[in-house]
Every structure is written in C-alpha cells, then in structure tokens.
Amino acid sequence: MARYFFNVHDGISLIDTVGSEHPDVQSARDEAVETIAERLKGALLKDADISAWLMNVTDERGFTVIVLSFTATVKIVDQLGLTVASAGAS
C-alpha cells in the first residue's frame, strides 16, 4: 500500500504530515472527497467563507496526484426573490 497526504488550503494551509495508506489512488480519492464533504458541511453550518477551498493529495514522493477545488454558497431567498442572508461567497 502507498501512503497519501491530504493537504487542505482554506484560508490557511493545513499540511498533512501523517497521511494514510491506500491500495490505490482511487481509494485516496474517496477519502479526499469524504474529508472535504465533512469539512464543507461544518463550515457551511458556521456561515464560514468557503470561496476558495482546495485540497491537494500527494504521494510519498511529494507529487500531487489529486486536486479538489471548489466554491459553495448558501443563500436564503424571501418570497419576492430577494436575497436576505447568505453564507460563503458567490
């Protein structure tokens, strides 16, 4: 099994120095998606700015093998179609 490192950049860089072992890059991709989904859920519930999040997954040699980047917003719209509150960035 190979060791992969999951580095998160969400305003600050959180470098994974421990990593986790996976049989292949697809398995590492699955962990990356699950990890980001949990962080995203927590951030949206706290009305955090998630306008420029990025995760890069590196292998044991330090080569980037996966990049996840995304933006997300939550907007509450009143009955007239006007935005009355929002979280994140558009």
Side-chain angles (χ1 to χ4, degrees), residues 22-43:
H22 294 273
D24 54 33
V25 73
Q26 182 63 41
S27 174
R29 177 201 177 277
D30 294 346
E31 180 176 332
V33 169
E34 288 175 18
T35 299
I36 283 296
E38 285 299 315
R39 289 183 60 90
L40 179 61
K41 178 182 174 184

Side-chain angles (χ1 to χ4, degrees), residues 6-86:
F6 301 81
N7 307 299
V8 177
H9 310 280
D10 61 358
I12 60 169
S13 292
L14 302 170
I15 304 304
D16 180 3
T17 59
V18 177
S20 58
E21 291 188 352
H22 294 273
D24 54 33
V25 73
Q26 182 63 41
S27 174
R29 177 201 177 277
D30 294 346
E31 180 176 332
V33 169
E34 288 175 18
T35 299
I36 283 296
E38 285 299 315
R39 289 183 60 90
L40 179 61
K41 178 182 174 184
L44 287 173
L45 290 172
K46 294 178 185 174
D47 292 335
D49 178 9
I50 54 171
S51 59
W53 278 26
L54 175 84
M55 173 185 275
N56 72 303
V57 180
T58 58
D59 64 13
E60 294 170 306
R61 299 168 296 165
F63 294 116
T64 297
V65 294
I66 301 169
V67 175
L68 286 85
S69 63
F70 52 90
T71 61
T73 62
V74 174
K75 294 184 180 181
I76 299 171
V77 180
D78 70 10
Q79 299 216 354
L80 298 175
L82 303 172
T83 301
V84 294
S86 65

